[in-house]
Amino acid sequence: MVRMDQTIPGDLQALTPEAEVTLPARAGTSSPIETDAVIIGAGPVGLFQVFELGLLEIRAHVIDSLAEVGGQCVALYPDKPIYDIPALPAVSGQGLTDNLMEQIKPFSPTFHLGQEVQAVERQDDGRFYVRTSAGTEFLAKTVFIAGGVGSFQSRELKLPGIERFNDRQIFYRVRDVNAFNGRNVVVAGGGDSALDWALALVGKAESVILVHRRDGFRAAPATVAKMRALCEAYEMQFLVGQITGFEANDDLLKAVKVAGLDGVTRNVPLDALLVFYGLSPKLGPIADWGLALNRRQLEVDTEKFETNVPGIFAVGDINSYPGKKKLILCGFHEAALAAFGAAKYVFPDKKIHLQYTTTSTKLHDVLGVESPTFD
Ligand SMILES: Cc1cc2nc3c(=O)[nH]c(=O)nc-3n(C[C@H](O)[C@H](O)[C@H](O)COP(=O)(O)OP(=O)(O)OC[C@H]3O[C@@H](n4cnc5c(N)ncnc54)[C@H](O)[C@@H]3O)c2cc1C
């Protein structure tokens, strides 16, 4: 499983085996992917949107800036139980996501992970041009924004001028752990990612020093225990303190200054610095697409959950309407009605009827299941 803050841009790294994979098209080098629907956001609501669209035979591509599906459920509380999902008395954030992935399997959505949607523009033919940070382009008949609280971004180390070393010596994501073989690496942070990567580097890097502001971690206890054992065996070091400065020679980052709780500031030489300070959501480019906003949420009607731009729908935490509650079950309801709202753009000449998954042979075909016999 690829973790969300080990993002590897591109589609290949983070997909479940079932998901169809497309390589990102680079702007100007290949033609846009034509599709019925683009779903922006692979949180619980974006995933369930795939299902509701699928029942109406509307195929979707799903894009998320994270490397993993599941939105807040996986990024913020994968192991915590949720108690208010109908018919699931208790399910973890990861468990809910796994169930949703299983449920949408029949519709084979294509996932484009580790890419932020940056542009959504209406074309003369009524379709929408969608472009991601990886250069993947789409022409979609409908767009579903299931962007939650916004696209999650890595929290950066804030020291004036240090950003010039980003992607050369400072990394917020690891693409290839072997890139640090034989290097002196400092890993900053106290969560699962910081510890997992620190452990992964032991035996490969020349030295590994973990820096965290306190002697307590948000990571899995077993990982913390392993880290402590490695420190005792002098395989790595742990330093309590905060990175407050750095030393550089022209274009080379030489060391970071770590202010310890003992009042001493230490100079820690390094070749590379990996920073895992967690994720923060940013509404980001969604605010620039000409959609009506109400306190940074997208205004929608409550019949179809359509925005002020016909053909663009907003579901889940990202939308706003009288009485809105940011609950997963509310998002699921919104996804169902939005799918019906979108059908007229995808199938302008088709009359859409409500059918039950229990009894409709048509829906059984669509779902790829046997039709049961009723007495
Ligand atoms: C600690 C905690 C506990 C919770 N417990 C419950 C509970 O018990 N019951 C309940 O109903 N709800 C609970 N919630 C709320 C619930 O998690 C949210 O309502 C739900 O996740 C909303 O789903 P969503 O799909 O709308 O958005 P999200 O889960 O936020 O997913 C949105 C996705 O869109 C992506 N995205 C945004 N913008 C872009 C862009 N431009 N390009 C690409 N990707 C983009 C983001 O990266 C993200 O992955 C809890 C929330 C928290 C934080």
Side-chain angles (χ1 to χ4, degrees):
M1 189 171 70
V2 173
R3 304 169 53 84
M4 82 236 162
D5 48 358
Q6 297 165 359
T7 304
I8 298 154
D11 301 334
L12 290 173
Q13 300 284 350
L15 294 175
T16 56
E18 299 76 31
E20 193 186 326
V21 174
T22 55
L23 286 166
R26 300 290 155 191
T29 58
S30 60
S31 44
I33 298 165
E34 299 195 30
T35 177
D36 292 336
V38 159
I39 299 172
I40 302 169
V45 181
L47 295 179
F48 195 62
Q49 188 69 68
V50 172
F51 184 80
E52 288 297 328
L53 290 171
L55 288 182
L56 300 180
E57 298 181 277
I58 299 172
R59 289 297 164 113
H61 285 251
V62 187
I63 308 165
D64 204 300
S65 50
L66 294 178
E68 259 190 310
V69 301
Q72 292 173 57
C73 298
V74 168
L76 303 180
Y77 56 101
D79 304 321
K80 292 208 166 48
I82 310 169
Y83 296 104
D84 57 350
I85 303 298
L88 287 176
V91 63
S92 66
Q94 184 66 59
L96 177 73
T97 304
D98 293 344
N99 285 354
L100 285 164
M101 290 299 280
E102 180 67 25
Q103 195 168 18
I104 65 177
K105 246 188 207 171
F107 306 118
S108 314
T110 310
F111 285 92
H112 308 265
L113 302 177
Q115 330 189 8
E116 183 184 63
V117 175
Q118 295 186 327
V120 174
E121 291 156 17
R122 186 189 267 291
Q123 304 296 286
D124 290 343
D125 65 3
R127 292 187 295 174
F128 297 97
Y129 170 76
V130 177
R131 193 186 62 249
T132 76
S133 51
T136 316
E137 298 171 298
F138 303 85
L139 279 173
K141 291 177 185 163
T142 55
V143 173
F144 293 79
I145 304 176
V149 282
S151 113
F152 287 100
Q153 314 279 338
S154 305
R155 281 202 185 90
E156 295 205 359
L157 176 63
K158 291 209 165 57
L159 291 175
I162 200 160
E163 65 287 344
R164 70 181 193 270
F165 303 107
N166 284 359
D167 296 326
R168 289 193 289 126
Q169 284 179 279
I170 300 181
F171 302 91
Y172 293 92
R173 301 165 173 183
V174 175
R175 288 156 208 256
D176 176 11
V177 69
N178 293 316
F180 302 99
N181 288 355
R183 317 305 300 253
N184 297 298
V185 185
V186 171
V187 180
D192 279 311
S193 305
L195 270 86
D196 286 351
W197 280 118
L199 297 192
L201 286 163
V202 170
K204 290 176 181 281
E206 172 69 20
S207 68
V208 180
I209 302 177
L210 177 69
V211 176
H212 183 42
R213 65 192 152 79
R214 62 189 175 93
D215 190 1
F217 298 90
R218 298 181 313 277
T223 320
V224 177
K226 204 164 171 196
M227 181 276 291
R228 292 200 193 282
L230 286 169
C231 287
E232 271 172 32
Y234 302 104
E235 303 259 345
M236 63 175 282
Q237 287 179 65
F238 168 46
L239 209 51
V240 181
Q242 261 176 308
I243 299 178
T244 52
F246 64 94
E247 247 182 31
N249 250 1
D250 302 323
D251 270 352
L252 195 66
L253 179 65
K254 306 278 278 185
V256 284
K257 292 179 189 302
V258 178
L261 293 182
D262 54 6
V264 177
T265 298
R266 294 173 176 83
N267 225 26
V268 182
L270 53 77
D271 297 314
L273 172 63
L274 309 186
V275 181
F276 300 107
Y277 283 172
L279 298 166
S280 66
K282 288 202 183 86
L283 185 60
I286 294 174
D288 306 326
W289 299 339
L291 302 168
L293 286 167
N294 177 10
R295 292 158 143 215
R296 299 179 65 75
Q297 325 275 182
L298 298 172
E299 281 186 1
V300 290
D301 64 53
T302 49
E303 183 196 346
K304 307 179 272 3
F305 299 94
E306 196 167 18
T307 64
N308 61 314
V309 176
I312 300 187
F313 299 80
V315 288
D317 278 12
I318 193 94
N319 73 13
S320 160
Y321 54 86
K324 168 73 185 178
K325 296 283 176 284
K326 288 188 182 182
L327 286 171
I328 297 166
L329 85 101
C330 297
F332 287 171
H333 158 81
E334 295 160 14
L337 296 199
F340 279 96
K344 73 171 184 212
Y345 299 108
V346 181
F347 308 116
D349 305 322
K350 197 161 132 189
K351 219 170 164 50
I352 305 291
H353 300 287
L354 175 71
Q355 298 184 66
Y356 292 136
T357 55
T358 331
T359 49
S360 162
T361 49
K362 169 81 193 297
L363 291 188
H364 295 155
D365 279 351
V366 168
L367 287 163
V369 294
E370 296 256 320
S371 291
T373 47
F374 289 95
D375 293 331

